[in-house]
Amino acid sequence: MLHISELSVRTAKPQIDDLVMAFGDLLPALDLSCQIGELLPESEILFIGALGKMEMELVPREGYEIRGVPVSNLSRSLSVEGIRHNIKFVSDLIKSGPACRKIIEEFKPDVVIGTGGYVCYPVLHEAAKLGIPTVVHESNAEPGLTTRQLEKCVDKIMVGFAEARENYKHPEKVVVTGTPVRLGFMRSDKSAARRALGIAEDEPLVVSVWGSLGATEMNKTVARMIALAMDGAERPFRLVHSAGKRGIKSMTEYMSEELGLSDWKEAGFDVVDYIYDMPLLMAAADIVLCRSGASTLAELTAIGKPAILVPSPNVVNNHQEKNARVLERGGGAVVLLESDAGADVMLSTINGLLSDKEKLAEMEEHMRDLAVENATDEITSIVLSLASGE
């Protein structure tokens, strides 16, 4: 995930001169900026990102201007390296405030929006001190450190989950907007997607994805699951697994050299480096096997897709498990902790769900019930209202 600190829109409309928005994920940021661009075609959009991070390269490719400020995260390690990192954190924190203030004073925004990434703190904090309306969007069920620190000074808190409201000291500021998802997910149709991919209606399909770069341990677990499935008398389901651009080589070598597998693709288990048309493939799937980042879960609920979620154990404040439990309590997902998600457990869980069509249908309904429709419209409305002084 990318931490985009600030997106600002300057428009020729007299009631709104500038707009500043901040998103932790690039795709929702681009989705919102596109929406505002359509509503206010003469607007100019500006992102503020962390110097040296990926957003500094990716945002200009999408046609937007981005300015960088020095910012880093806080290390919880007491090692020498951790102490050095935190010295840099303090130094960046001291520098980032004035840097953000200068950009904001030059741009003169009507509203500033942040998502809780570290770079958002100095942006929204400085904007609030300047008397500019501010709003923070938190996709995760549990607010992060930055969002908690900003709660007192922002005017509105937009959240991705209804359950998240109880985690805030100022619930009167909280608005449940959901998390924006790509348009392709909103237009999903299972039958049409299967026809486009050449997959029969009655062929069970599982999609497994762990992020664009992959996850080493989960790649090995899925490899062992494929080995177990190939040992069976019949192929239980068709699988498309994204190993990640960094993980594809090591995973396929592990499968062939250590597990002694061959011809897994011919057996119906397709291992790829990256899934380029995720909305189409997820629409066609019966089950999605994945992590539980907020944007991924928003996509799953938008299309009503049953999921087996394995939260990443390597995230701050265990927020992925907290996200996953929201969907589990809602009846749309099964949650397996990584420590418990062995190949045999994963295979039996998948087969158990695929053999129970009634259960899968119920999960689809529950997933859709958890979706917050028109998240982009809701966020845009709040942003423009604040920008107009309403």
Side-chain angles (χ1 to χ4, degrees):
M1 291 190 175
L2 301 176
H3 287 85
I4 307 298
S5 89
E6 186 179 38
L7 161 66
S8 69
V9 179
R10 176 177 295 142
T11 153
K13 292 197 172 186
Q15 72 272 27
I16 304 175
D17 296 319
D18 299 296
L19 192 71
V20 178
M21 290 169 282
F23 274 83
D25 294 328
L26 179 58
L27 289 176
L30 294 174
D31 185 49
L32 183 56
S33 63
C34 180
Q35 173 96 336
I36 290 177
E38 290 179 359
L39 291 172
L40 306 171
E42 300 196 17
S43 60
E44 297 176 22
I45 297 175
L46 173 71
F47 287 82
I48 297 178
L51 285 170
K53 299 298 182 181
M54 291 175 64
E55 61 259 31
M56 299 305 297
E57 295 182 12
L58 295 178
V59 170
R61 292 180 189 175
E62 299 295 328
Y64 299 105
E65 181 185 355
I66 184 169
R67 300 185 195 178
V69 295
V71 67
S72 55
N73 63 325
L74 180 65
S75 173
R76 288 166 172 78
S77 171
L78 297 178
S79 66
V80 173
E81 187 59 36
I83 293 171
R84 287 175 180 167
H85 181 93
N86 285 340
I87 291 173
K88 183 179 186 301
F89 165 78
V90 173
S91 175
D92 286 344
L93 188 62
I94 293 170
K95 297 174 185 175
S96 61
C100 291
R101 188 182 186 92
K102 181 179 179 182
I103 293 172
I104 292 169
E105 287 180 330
E106 288 177 353
F107 203 77
K108 298 180 177 60
D110 289 294
V111 63
V112 177
I113 311 169
T115 57
Y118 288 102
V119 72
C120 294
Y121 177 79
V123 177
L124 271 74
H125 189 254
E126 291 300 320
K129 287 198 297 183
L130 289 168
I132 299 168
T134 53
V135 56
V136 60
H137 181 278
E138 177 62 75
S139 297
N140 292 305
E142 180 80 11
L145 176 62
T146 302
T147 304
R148 291 187 186 279
Q149 293 297 315
L150 288 168
E151 183 177 357
K152 290 181 180 179
C153 70
V154 298
D155 296 292
K156 293 287 183 181
I157 302 165
M158 304 182 293
V159 298
F161 297 98
E163 286 190 20
R165 189 187 299 273
E166 64 190 37
N167 296 319
Y168 292 89
K169 296 178 180 178
H170 299 278
E172 73 280 1
K173 292 184 177 183
V174 178
V175 182
V176 181
T177 61
T179 298
V181 299
R182 286 172 281 178
L183 187 59
F185 286 100
M186 306 304 295
R187 295 175 174 172
S188 68
D189 179 87
K190 187 173 183 179
S191 295
R194 283 180 169 251
R195 288 194 298 271
L197 294 168
I199 300 172
E201 281 288 331
D202 60 351
E203 183 176 20
L205 173 65
V206 176
V207 173
S208 172
V209 59
W210 307 96
S212 59
L213 299 179
T216 302
E217 290 306 312
M218 293 313 303
N219 279 345
K220 288 184 176 180
T221 299
V222 172
R224 291 191 291 270
M225 184 188 73
I226 291 172
L228 288 175
M230 289 179 68
D231 277 343
E234 297 181 3
R235 186 184 78 186
F237 51 83
R238 182 170 177 173
L239 173 73
V240 178
H241 172 72
S242 176
K245 292 185 178 294
R246 292 182 183 173
I248 184 70
K249 185 174 184 291
S250 60
M251 180 174 178
T252 53
E253 287 177 351
Y254 177 74
M255 293 173 73
S256 59
E257 296 174 10
E258 297 196 38
L259 299 180
L261 300 179
S262 62
D263 301 327
W264 53 80
K265 185 172 184 178
E266 288 73 11
F269 303 100
D270 197 4
V271 178
V272 299
D273 63 342
Y274 186 78
I275 297 174
Y276 290 92
D277 198 346
M278 186 64 75
L280 184 67
L281 195 59
M282 282 178 62
D286 293 290
I287 299 170
V288 174
L289 184 62
C290 60
R291 294 296 196 196
S292 48
S295 291
T296 297
L297 300 193
E299 292 165 354
L300 291 171
T301 59
I303 62 176
K305 192 61 57 178
I308 298 173
L309 304 174
V310 185
S312 172
N314 306 311
V315 294
V316 176
N317 202 24
N318 197 30
H319 71 257
Q320 283 210 4
E321 182 181 350
K322 293 170 183 176
N323 291 346
R325 296 298 181 190
V326 174
L327 269 62
E328 181 183 54
R329 287 191 293 271
V334 174
V335 178
L336 298 175
L337 299 183
E338 188 169 305
S339 57
D340 301 326
D344 55 342
V345 173
M346 194 175 291
L347 183 59
S348 64
T349 304
I350 292 171
N351 284 334
L353 290 176
L354 289 174
S355 65
D356 191 342
K357 300 299 183 185
E358 186 175 332
K359 173 71 172 176
L360 276 182
E362 289 177 357
M363 291 177 71
E364 286 183 13
E365 277 189 47
H366 291 317
M367 273 296 203
R368 288 195 175 92
D369 289 342
L370 289 164
V372 180
E373 296 182 0
N374 304 317
T376 303
D377 291 343
E378 288 292 327
I379 295 171
T380 301
S381 176
I382 291 169
V383 169
L384 296 183
S385 293
L386 282 173
S388 301
E390 297 178 7

